[in-house]
Amino acid sequence: MPAPSFPKAAMTADRTDHIGDTVLTLHCIEGTVPTDWYGSSFFIAPVGTVASDGLPNPNGTHIFNSDGMVYRLDLGAGEVKAANRLMRTPCHYADRATFDDPVFQPYQFRDYGMLRFSFALGLRDEVDIAFLPFKAAGEEQDRLLVTYEAGRPYEIDTHSLEVVTPVGQQQHWKAFLPMDYPFAPLMTTSHPAYDGYTHEVFMVNYGRSLNNFLESARFVYGLEGLPQEVEQVLHHLTEILNAPLLKGPLASLVSLTEGISQHLWDWLSHRLGEVLPNFTYLVSWDGQGDIQRWQLMQPDGTPVRIEQSLHQVGVTQDYVVLMDTSLKIGPEQILNNPVPDSPETERLLRQTLTRPQQPDSPTYIVKRADLAATATPNADGTIPTVTAQFCRIPMEIVHYLVDYDNPHGEITLHAAHLAATDIGEWLHDFDVFKFDPPHGPPAWLRGMIANGQMDIGRVARYRIDGDTGRLTDAKITYDSKRHWGIGFYAYQERTAEGMPPRQLKKLYWQSLGFWPELLTEFVYDLYADYPYRAIALSELLDQEADRPSSLFQVDAATLDITSAYDAPPGYFLSSPQFVPRQNGDDSGEDGYIICTAFGTDPQAEQAVNRDRKEIWVFRADDIAAGPLCKLSHPEFQFGFTMHTDWLPAIAPRTATYHVPVRQDYDPLLTQPEIRRLFHEQVYPHFETSST
């Protein structure tokens, strides 16, 4: 395999704010900027941590494990201005202080896979994934949340881009670990749902028992600071575990050991389940008061258990839809990498403990009428329960959308299947390229998602009986050229009257494309036996196949691919966003699609100009025609971008909802030095002198 062709531009980013007087006017480097669009388009991107000071991250941790940078494109007639600001939450300031100040370094955060954790302070809420626009009842101004998979959403000021307040007090959220950390380890969702007709925001808060990880917990702690000799032993042990002749005997030995110790593990699992029980809370918020919670139960009376993640929530007129999505994230990230500075330990534990993502998508459906009937805590102060109907959708899903209308109780769900594509795995320094062994990823590529897809993605539409969970109709399609790594999506989010659409008409999906250097031997072996395979392994390994990054339009009613654009070789598109035309209609395609684009220009005279990161704009009704214009600026240095949103107008925040930072954290500060950390390094950033 030649030198990696994946664009290096996606793996570099700085942490410089551009706001106020430093806002940038983007250069139109090709085409003409539209004159009939309006509003502001937002996108968010990971930009490394206080320890890495940007991207790439020298320690090669998962790229999602980063502070979030919010970028805003203000769309004027014939020009685009760009602003951006780092999301400085309270835990960001604690991270900065414990990294910079020797007094506080004993409490330092460290990288554990997709999470950044301190055993003294808790879990970083890095808010680097997505947005949610919303309004409380009676409000005219749009408000905006930024979100993360493992923490409370935060509201930001759309004008200044400053972090304003979390949603809900800490005491109203439940941690997945039973310790009173100042920064509670929470599992939530990156995609809460907003009902623009009732002004309700729906979120989740969940945790699961760690009994699946008892075997690893037995020995992984206490390994800090392994001597070189142990590193060498672990290296050889990893090689032995990989030896084909030993895989059978080792499996038999493991089976025998499991049989002998089954009673012991059953007892430990029961006790651990008492301390760390499974729980799944559906959370609602009106934008003004306290959050409300319901514990979700299955029809048999047992708690709903989430195996992987609740990356997205959907809301219809009568139902809330939750899905156990294929993103693998949670407390096992810490157990699977307990010694971040020991690569051989990490390699051994990954080889021993990593399992493939579940191949199906367990889905849970809650009647909103049941929520209304139990909207207050029980008399004894316990959280009310509500029953969720179960539906199993074949194949993995990370992102899905639902129509708001659900005629006769029928839910319409639109999805992209990331088949055998594991975004919870990333490129390590010890990985080996499947297409070019024994070589592995260079330093700048480490941390990128190991997104060498092990099967083609699919686009699907499902219909589900909301009252029973029965799957009543399924339609699935794929394009073996264009659907490799279907990821981000866009659609017309508001009608001409400013309301959410009741039915989706046109969907726009982006695919990453197939990049050989993102497929490792480890991931290949993990998914070689994928049960829903559409592309044979021999075809998958064809290096001559044309599998570009694409942007394509889907007719939601027919599931036809009605238009598509293929990125040129060496480029990929990301983060599409629909922007309506002024005085446009509700067809779902009367407007523009804005994307980020990353590439390598081999024709550039100087090497410094070869890495390209740009903004591309398409006509939504004619994607196949290619970009109307391309925009860039030498100081606009974003890296791999995530989700997007659009607002018709921005303004300084006027909402009064606010969780006081001191009130939120002070009850949890039991150690004098940690109290000092908060009083000196955290609180001053959120309190005025008058406060």
Side-chain angles (χ1 to χ4, degrees):
M1 186 175 72
S5 58
F6 184 78
K8 190 175 183 178
M11 299 301 294
T12 61
D14 69 28
R15 293 163 63 90
T16 304
D17 292 345
H18 293 99
I19 199 74
D21 294 340
T22 61
V23 165
L24 306 172
T25 299
L26 299 187
H27 303 153
C28 183
I29 58 176
E30 184 178 312
T32 303
V33 178
T35 59
D36 59 349
W37 60 2
Y38 68 107
S40 295
S41 181
F42 295 77
F43 64 90
I44 195 166
V47 291
T49 68
V50 298
S52 70
D53 195 29
L55 292 177
N57 191 325
N59 71 7
T61 195
H62 197 297
I63 192 171
F64 290 0
N65 184 352
S66 293
D67 287 316
M69 181 78 80
V70 167
Y71 301 84
R72 190 187 71 222
L73 304 177
D74 297 328
L75 311 175
E79 73 169 11
V80 176
K81 293 187 179 296
N84 62 277
R85 189 188 285 274
L86 192 68
M87 295 294 96
R88 296 176 175 89
T89 57
C91 61
H92 163 84
Y93 287 110
D95 197 354
R96 168 59 68 189
T98 57
F99 182 77
D100 289 341
D101 191 333
V103 172
F104 301 121
Q105 283 180 357
Y107 313 116
Q108 203 171 77
F109 291 85
R110 304 180 71 182
D111 296 325
Y112 294 89
M114 295 176 70
L115 303 177
R116 188 162 171 82
F117 186 74
S118 162
F119 281 96
L121 299 175
L123 187 64
R124 280 293 320 273
D125 186 352
E126 296 179 303
V127 287
D128 67 346
I129 303 296
F131 302 97
L132 183 73
F134 72 102
K135 296 177 184 178
E139 292 180 339
E140 295 295 327
Q141 184 186 96
D142 282 294
R143 295 161 64 183
L144 190 62
L145 299 180
V146 289
T147 63
Y148 184 55
E149 207 79 14
R152 291 178 289 178
Y154 273 82
E155 186 175 350
I156 65 172
D157 184 301
T158 62
H159 182 262
S160 69
L161 302 182
E162 289 181 305
V163 169
V164 177
T165 181
V167 174
Q169 299 177 47
Q170 285 223 64
Q171 62 178 326
H172 295 154
W173 295 85
K174 184 172 181 177
F176 63 72
L177 293 178
M179 285 78 85
D180 289 330
Y181 289 114
F183 301 117
L186 304 176
M187 295 307 301
T188 55
T189 179
S190 290
H191 296 281
Y194 171 62
D195 184 334
Y197 295 93
T198 64
H199 301 287
E200 294 172 277
V201 175
F202 291 96
M203 303 168 281
V204 293
N205 176 202
Y206 67 99
R208 56 183 177 270
S209 172
L210 293 184
N211 50 28
N212 285 348
F213 306 99
L214 276 174
E215 188 66 40
S216 61
R218 228 174 15 157
F219 63 89
V220 296
Y221 292 105
L223 295 180
E224 193 76 36
L226 289 174
Q228 184 176 359
E229 294 79 6
V230 178
E231 291 269 329
Q232 293 172 352
V233 170
L234 289 170
H235 172 78
H236 294 302
L237 181 56
T238 305
E239 298 298 327
I240 292 172
L241 288 172
N242 263 329
L245 291 177
L246 289 180
K247 285 187 176 180
L250 279 172
S252 299
L253 179 60
V254 169
S255 178
L256 177 62
T257 304
E258 288 177 348
I260 294 173
S261 60
Q262 188 60 51
H263 293 295
L264 172 62
W265 293 123
D266 287 347
W267 179 81
L268 286 174
S269 296
H270 174 73
R271 294 308 301 268
L272 188 56
E274 293 177 348
V275 178
L276 296 171
N278 298 312
F279 66 91
T280 303
Y281 297 153
L282 179 60
V283 180
S284 77
W285 182 51
D286 64 4
Q288 297 172 324
D290 292 337
I291 62 174
Q292 292 182 288
R293 295 184 293 174
W294 296 263
Q295 181 165 12
L296 299 188
M297 310 297 286
Q298 300 189 80
D300 65 3
T302 59
V304 168
R305 173 188 168 93
I306 302 303
E307 298 291 341
Q308 294 182 157
S309 64
L310 285 168
H311 183 66
Q312 191 150 17
V313 177
V315 62
T316 77
Q317 183 171 357
D318 298 315
Y319 304 95
V320 180
V321 181
L322 305 93
M323 185 180 293
D324 196 342
T325 47
S326 61
L327 175 62
K328 300 185 304 189
I329 187 172
E332 64 271 25
Q333 293 277 333
I334 299 170
L335 289 175
N336 283 359
N337 185 19
V339 191
D341 296 330
S342 175
E344 289 303 337
T345 306
E346 184 179 0
R347 184 183 181 199
L348 173 65
L349 294 177
R350 185 182 73 162
Q351 183 67 39
T352 306
L353 301 174
T354 300
R355 62 192 71 181
Q357 61 196 16
Q358 56 187 7
D360 298 320
S361 298
T363 303
Y364 300 93
I365 300 166
V366 180
K367 289 183 181 180
R368 295 179 65 177
D370 292 345
L371 300 178
T374 56
T376 57
N378 296 325
D380 60 359
T382 58
I383 296 171
T385 62
V386 66
T387 299
Q389 298 299 324
F390 177 77
C391 174
R392 184 175 296 278
I393 298 177
M395 291 191 291
E396 313 94 313
I397 295 173
V398 172
H399 293 132
Y400 65 94
L401 299 162
V402 293
D403 285 354
Y404 187 76
D405 284 344
N406 49 250
H408 310 294
E410 185 176 71
I411 298 169
T412 300
L413 186 148
H414 311 267
H417 290 288
L418 267 176
T421 301
D422 194 336
I423 60 177
E425 298 297 326
W426 67 99
L427 299 176
H428 298 254
D429 57 358
F430 50 78
D431 269 317
V432 175
F433 288 139
K434 179 61 182 176
F435 286 90
D436 189 27
H439 301 105
W444 65 264
L445 191 56
R446 296 167 195 160
M448 178 57 192
I449 307 165
N451 207 5
Q453 301 88 354
M454 282 296 293
D455 203 5
I456 189 69
R458 280 81 142 177
V459 177
R461 187 196 65 226
Y462 298 97
R463 292 198 168 94
I464 305 169
D465 185 317
D467 291 338
T468 66
R470 185 172 64 90
L471 193 62
T472 60
D473 181 65
K475 188 171 185 179
I476 304 170
T477 187
Y478 67 87
D479 180 333
S480 59
K481 173 183 177 180
R482 295 186 172 93
H483 290 180
W484 294 92
I486 304 173
F488 302 118
Y489 57 86
Y491 64 99
Q492 184 174 357
E493 299 164 22
R494 304 180 189 219
T495 65
E497 290 75 32
M499 299 300 292
R502 301 190 73 92
Q503 291 182 319
L504 299 178
K505 296 179 180 178
K506 303 291 184 181
L507 301 176
Y508 303 85
W509 291 96
Q510 157 268 359
S511 68
L512 184 71
F514 189 92
W515 301 89
E517 61 272 28
L518 300 186
L519 179 59
T520 65
E521 289 190 341
F522 177 78
V523 169
Y524 181 89
D525 292 341
L526 200 61
Y527 291 95
D529 297 326
Y530 179 62
Y532 297 118
R533 181 162 300 285
I535 303 297
L537 290 176
S538 58
E539 186 177 346
L540 178 83
L541 296 176
D542 179 7
Q543 297 193 57
E544 303 301 319
D546 183 19
R547 296 174 280 202
S549 172
S550 295
L551 175 68
F552 55 94
Q553 184 194 74
V554 179
D555 186 293
T558 65
L559 215 64
D560 291 336
I561 309 300
T562 46
S563 185
Y565 171 81
D566 299 335
Y571 278 79
F572 77 86
L573 304 175
S574 190
S575 307
Q577 175 60 45
F578 181 89
V579 174
R581 198 190 313 271
Q582 290 180 356
N583 302 314
D585 61 31
D586 296 338
S587 64
E589 57 181 0
D590 191 7
Y592 302 93
I593 299 294
I594 298 178
C595 285
T596 54
F598 301 89
T600 304
D601 181 4
Q603 306 302 320
E605 295 182 2
Q606 297 180 342
V608 70
N609 296 325
R610 289 176 187 162
D611 297 326
R612 311 300 292 269
K613 48 186 75 184
E614 299 165 351
I615 305 295
W616 291 8
V617 180
F618 298 80
R619 275 186 52 156
D621 61 354
D622 193 10
I623 288 173
L628 283 174
C629 65
K630 299 178 181 180
L631 307 162
S632 71
H633 193 286
E635 296 179 46
F636 200 43
Q637 292 298 311
F638 54 88
F640 185 86
T641 56
M642 307 293 285
H643 288 279
T644 64
D645 232 300
W646 174 85
L647 296 179
I650 60 168
R653 181 178 185 263
T654 59
T656 58
Y657 178 84
H658 183 251
V659 176
V661 64
R662 192 178 297 263
Q663 174 183 313
D664 207 26
Y665 292 106
D666 252 7
L668 300 168
L669 308 182
T670 58
Q671 297 183 40
E673 282 302 312
I674 293 180
R675 179 176 288 272
R676 178 186 168 194
L677 166 68
F678 275 72
H679 283 243
E680 293 181 3
Q681 302 293 336
V682 178
Y683 293 163
H685 296 284
F686 297 92
E687 297 178 339
T688 64
S689 57
S690 60
T691 304

